[in-house]
Amino acid sequence: MQRSGESSEIKRAVNRGCLLALASASSTGLMLFVNGSFVWAFLSVLASQGHQWAVKPEISQFLLLALPVGLCIAEWKLIDYVRQHLRQQPR
């Protein structure tokens, strides 16, 4: 049998894990929204400057899918890099 102290510790750990997953999913969704808006604006500027490839639906749709996801991956890598260097103890 588990003691009540262990049970509340497990509940706190589960709550922290759920909160971390929710925060991670929310920040990823926000990054995808911002990145998609940025790519859309960039493609609109390119199209208004006369770049014909930016007007083609198959190219613009692919870029609107691939670039925000690629930027999101790069942003998470950057976040991990900064967190790793902030957590290192000075020697």
Side-chain angles (χ1 to χ4, degrees):
M1 284 192 140
Q2 292 181 349
R3 289 183 267 163
S4 64
E6 291 175 356
S7 178
S8 65
E9 261 184 58
I10 292 172
K11 287 179 184 178
R12 276 197 300 266
V14 168
N15 287 340
R16 280 193 301 254
C18 288
L19 184 61
L20 182 62
L22 183 64
S24 177
S26 298
S27 59
T28 300
L30 179 65
M31 282 191 269
L32 286 171
F33 177 74
V34 171
N35 293 343
S37 300
F38 175 73
V39 171
W40 191 358
F42 185 69
L43 287 174
S44 297
V45 168
L46 289 176
S48 69
Q49 290 180 350
H51 295 279
Q52 293 301 317
W53 60 268
V55 180
K56 293 183 180 179
E58 58 271 6
I59 293 175
S60 62
Q61 287 175 6
F62 173 74
L63 291 175
L64 276 172
L65 171 72
L67 289 179
V69 173
L71 286 171
C72 190
I73 292 170
E75 289 164 355
W76 273 118
K77 291 239 179 230
L78 183 62
I79 289 169
D80 288 340
Y81 177 78
V82 169
R83 284 181 59 199
Q84 178 184 6
H85 285 293
L86 288 177
R87 286 188 176 179
Q88 286 181 348
Q89 299 290 331
R91 295 178 189 177

mmCIF file of all heavy atoms in Angstrom, residues 59-80:
data_model
loop_
_atom_site.group_PDB
_atom_site.id
_atom_site.type_symbol
_atom_site.label_atom_id
_atom_site.label_comp_id
_atom_site.label_asym_id
_atom_site.label_seq_id
_atom_site.Cartn_x
_atom_site.Cartn_y
_atom_site.Cartn_z
ATOM 1 N N ILE A 59 3.391 26.050 -54.986
ATOM 2 C CA ILE A 59 4.624 26.458 -54.311
ATOM 3 C C ILE A 59 4.299 27.198 -53.014
ATOM 4 O O ILE A 59 4.891 26.917 -51.964
ATOM 5 C CB ILE A 59 5.499 27.319 -55.243
ATOM 6 C CG1 ILE A 59 5.999 26.471 -56.404
ATOM 7 C CG2 ILE A 59 6.664 27.930 -54.493
ATOM 8 C CD1 ILE A 59 6.767 27.227 -57.453
ATOM 9 N N SER A 60 3.367 28.143 -53.088
ATOM 10 C CA SER A 60 3.057 28.924 -51.889
ATOM 11 C C SER A 60 2.436 28.046 -50.798
ATOM 12 O O SER A 60 2.724 28.221 -49.612
ATOM 13 C CB SER A 60 2.142 30.093 -52.231
ATOM 14 O OG SER A 60 0.909 29.645 -52.731
ATOM 15 N N GLN A 61 1.598 27.071 -51.185
ATOM 16 C CA GLN A 61 1.005 26.182 -50.177
ATOM 17 C C GLN A 61 2.058 25.295 -49.528
ATOM 18 O O GLN A 61 2.024 25.062 -48.311
ATOM 19 C CB GLN A 61 -0.092 25.337 -50.804
ATOM 20 C CG GLN A 61 -1.341 26.124 -51.104
ATOM 21 C CD GLN A 61 -2.388 25.295 -51.831
ATOM 22 O OE1 GLN A 61 -2.227 24.088 -52.017
ATOM 23 N NE2 GLN A 61 -3.469 25.942 -52.240
ATOM 24 N N PHE A 62 3.004 24.804 -50.343
ATOM 25 C CA PHE A 62 4.081 23.996 -49.770
ATOM 26 C C PHE A 62 4.918 24.825 -48.803
ATOM 27 O O PHE A 62 5.256 24.365 -47.706
ATOM 28 C CB PHE A 62 4.974 23.414 -50.865
ATOM 29 C CG PHE A 62 6.194 22.726 -50.323
ATOM 30 C CD1 PHE A 62 6.087 21.483 -49.717
ATOM 31 C CD2 PHE A 62 7.442 23.329 -50.378
ATOM 32 C CE1 PHE A 62 7.195 20.854 -49.191
ATOM 33 C CE2 PHE A 62 8.555 22.716 -49.858
ATOM 34 C CZ PHE A 62 8.430 21.468 -49.264
ATOM 35 N N LEU A 63 5.260 26.054 -49.206
ATOM 36 C CA LEU A 63 6.069 26.906 -48.340
ATOM 37 C C LEU A 63 5.314 27.292 -47.069
ATOM 38 O O LEU A 63 5.914 27.393 -45.995
ATOM 39 C CB LEU A 63 6.525 28.150 -49.097
ATOM 40 C CG LEU A 63 7.541 27.901 -50.217
ATOM 41 C CD1 LEU A 63 7.831 29.194 -50.971
ATOM 42 C CD2 LEU A 63 8.811 27.288 -49.673
ATOM 43 N N LEU A 64 3.991 27.494 -47.189
ATOM 44 C CA LEU A 64 3.190 27.820 -46.004
ATOM 45 C C LEU A 64 3.067 26.641 -45.041
ATOM 46 O O LEU A 64 2.758 26.826 -43.869
ATOM 47 C CB LEU A 64 1.794 28.294 -46.415
ATOM 48 C CG LEU A 64 1.690 29.769 -46.771
ATOM 49 C CD1 LEU A 64 0.317 30.078 -47.350
ATOM 50 C CD2 LEU A 64 1.956 30.635 -45.565
ATOM 51 N N LEU A 65 3.300 25.434 -45.534
ATOM 52 C CA LEU A 65 3.308 24.264 -44.651
ATOM 53 C C LEU A 65 4.708 24.001 -44.106
ATOM 54 O O LEU A 65 4.883 23.832 -42.898
ATOM 55 C CB LEU A 65 2.815 23.022 -45.406
ATOM 56 C CG LEU A 65 2.977 21.710 -44.642
ATOM 57 C CD1 LEU A 65 1.970 21.647 -43.510
ATOM 58 C CD2 LEU A 65 2.853 20.526 -45.550
ATOM 59 N N ALA A 66 5.700 23.993 -44.985
ATOM 60 C CA ALA A 66 7.040 23.544 -44.599
ATOM 61 C C ALA A 66 7.825 24.583 -43.796
ATOM 62 O O ALA A 66 8.482 24.233 -42.807
ATOM 63 C CB ALA A 66 7.827 23.150 -45.850
ATOM 64 N N LEU A 67 7.784 25.834 -44.212
ATOM 65 C CA LEU A 67 8.613 26.841 -43.541
ATOM 66 C C LEU A 67 8.211 27.096 -42.084
ATOM 67 O O LEU A 67 9.094 27.179 -41.218
ATOM 68 C CB LEU A 67 8.625 28.140 -44.340
ATOM 69 C CG LEU A 67 9.417 28.088 -45.653
ATOM 70 C CD1 LEU A 67 9.351 29.417 -46.376
ATOM 71 C CD2 LEU A 67 10.847 27.684 -45.398
ATOM 72 N N PRO A 68 6.915 27.243 -41.754
ATOM 73 C CA PRO A 68 6.595 27.427 -40.329
ATOM 74 C C PRO A 68 7.014 26.246 -39.456
ATOM 75 O O PRO A 68 7.483 26.441 -38.329
ATOM 76 C CB PRO A 68 5.076 27.602 -40.323
ATOM 77 C CG PRO A 68 4.746 28.125 -41.660
ATOM 78 C CD PRO A 68 5.726 27.467 -42.583
ATOM 79 N N VAL A 69 6.881 25.034 -39.975
ATOM 80 C CA VAL A 69 7.304 23.859 -39.201
ATOM 81 C C VAL A 69 8.821 23.854 -39.039
ATOM 82 O O VAL A 69 9.338 23.596 -37.944
ATOM 83 C CB VAL A 69 6.806 22.558 -39.871
ATOM 84 C CG1 VAL A 69 7.377 21.338 -39.196
ATOM 85 C CG2 VAL A 69 5.281 22.517 -39.858
ATOM 86 N N GLY A 70 9.547 24.160 -40.114
ATOM 87 C CA GLY A 70 11.006 24.240 -40.033
ATOM 88 C C GLY A 70 11.470 25.326 -39.074
ATOM 89 O O GLY A 70 12.405 25.123 -38.295
ATOM 90 N N LEU A 71 10.806 26.479 -39.124
ATOM 91 C CA LEU A 71 11.140 27.551 -38.187
ATOM 92 C C LEU A 71 10.835 27.148 -36.747
ATOM 93 O O LEU A 71 11.591 27.481 -35.829
ATOM 94 C CB LEU A 71 10.376 28.824 -38.550
ATOM 95 C CG LEU A 71 10.856 29.582 -39.780
ATOM 96 C CD1 LEU A 71 9.863 30.680 -40.138
ATOM 97 C CD2 LEU A 71 12.230 30.166 -39.544
ATOM 98 N N CYS A 72 9.747 26.425 -36.541
ATOM 99 C CA CYS A 72 9.383 25.972 -35.192
ATOM 100 C C CYS A 72 10.439 25.002 -34.649
ATOM 101 O O CYS A 72 10.829 25.091 -33.485
ATOM 102 C CB CYS A 72 8.009 25.316 -35.227
ATOM 103 S SG CYS A 72 7.341 24.966 -33.608
ATOM 104 N N ILE A 73 10.912 24.108 -35.488
ATOM 105 C CA ILE A 73 11.969 23.176 -35.073
ATOM 106 C C ILE A 73 13.233 23.949 -34.719
ATOM 107 O O ILE A 73 13.874 23.679 -33.694
ATOM 108 C CB ILE A 73 12.230 22.128 -36.172
ATOM 109 C CG1 ILE A 73 11.027 21.199 -36.296
ATOM 110 C CG2 ILE A 73 13.503 21.339 -35.897
ATOM 111 C CD1 ILE A 73 11.064 20.280 -37.501
ATOM 112 N N ALA A 74 13.589 24.929 -35.550
ATOM 113 C CA ALA A 74 14.779 25.739 -35.265
ATOM 114 C C ALA A 74 14.610 26.529 -33.973
ATOM 115 O O ALA A 74 15.561 26.660 -33.188
ATOM 116 C CB ALA A 74 15.050 26.681 -36.442
ATOM 117 N N GLU A 75 13.415 27.052 -33.726
ATOM 118 C CA GLU A 75 13.172 27.800 -32.493
ATOM 119 C C GLU A 75 13.278 26.910 -31.267
ATOM 120 O O GLU A 75 13.844 27.312 -30.243
ATOM 121 C CB GLU A 75 11.802 28.472 -32.550
ATOM 122 C CG GLU A 75 11.740 29.620 -33.524
ATOM 123 C CD GLU A 75 10.342 30.043 -33.881
ATOM 124 O OE1 GLU A 75 9.368 29.390 -33.446
ATOM 125 O OE2 GLU A 75 10.213 31.029 -34.607
ATOM 126 N N TRP A 76 12.745 25.687 -31.337
ATOM 127 C CA TRP A 76 12.867 24.773 -30.195
ATOM 128 C C TRP A 76 14.319 24.385 -29.958
ATOM 129 O O TRP A 76 14.768 24.258 -28.818
ATOM 130 C CB TRP A 76 12.015 23.524 -30.398
ATOM 131 C CG TRP A 76 10.617 23.703 -29.926
ATOM 132 C CD1 TRP A 76 9.484 23.633 -30.668
ATOM 133 C CD2 TRP A 76 10.176 23.970 -28.585
ATOM 134 N NE1 TRP A 76 8.380 23.860 -29.888
ATOM 135 C CE2 TRP A 76 8.779 24.064 -28.606
ATOM 136 C CE3 TRP A 76 10.837 24.153 -27.374
ATOM 137 C CZ2 TRP A 76 8.030 24.326 -27.457
ATOM 138 C CZ3 TRP A 76 10.088 24.419 -26.237
ATOM 139 C CH2 TRP A 76 8.704 24.497 -26.292
ATOM 140 N N LYS A 77 15.090 24.195 -31.046
ATOM 141 C CA LYS A 77 16.515 23.893 -30.881
ATOM 142 C C LYS A 77 17.232 25.062 -30.208
ATOM 143 O O LYS A 77 18.088 24.861 -29.343
ATOM 144 C CB LYS A 77 17.144 23.594 -32.240
ATOM 145 C CG LYS A 77 16.681 22.314 -32.861
ATOM 146 C CD LYS A 77 17.864 21.430 -33.078
ATOM 147 C CE LYS A 77 17.402 20.137 -33.684
ATOM 148 N NZ LYS A 77 17.941 19.024 -32.954
ATOM 149 N N LEU A 78 16.864 26.284 -30.594
ATOM 150 C CA LEU A 78 17.474 27.463 -29.988
ATOM 151 C C LEU A 78 17.085 27.577 -28.517
ATOM 152 O O LEU A 78 17.931 27.899 -27.669
ATOM 153 C CB LEU A 78 17.052 28.719 -30.748
ATOM 154 C CG LEU A 78 17.650 30.035 -30.282
ATOM 155 C CD1 LEU A 78 19.163 30.024 -30.434
ATOM 156 C CD2 LEU A 78 17.059 31.182 -31.076
ATOM 157 N N ILE A 79 15.838 27.310 -28.208
ATOM 158 C CA ILE A 79 15.381 27.335 -26.804
ATOM 159 C C ILE A 79 16.150 26.296 -25.987
ATOM 160 O O ILE A 79 16.613 26.579 -24.875
ATOM 161 C CB ILE A 79 13.861 27.098 -26.726
ATOM 162 C CG1 ILE A 79 13.113 28.322 -27.253
ATOM 163 C CG2 ILE A 79 13.429 26.785 -25.294
ATOM 164 C CD1 ILE A 79 11.634 28.083 -27.455
ATOM 165 N N ASP A 80 16.319 25.083 -26.531
ATOM 166 C CA ASP A 80 17.077 24.043 -25.826
ATOM 167 C C ASP A 80 18.529 24.450 -25.623
ATOM 168 O O ASP A 80 19.115 24.201 -24.568
ATOM 169 C CB ASP A 80 17.005 22.723 -26.588
ATOM 170 C CG ASP A 80 15.645 22.074 -26.499
ATOM 171 O OD1 ASP A 80 14.872 22.418 -25.578
ATOM 172 O OD2 ASP A 80 15.337 21.220 -27.357
#
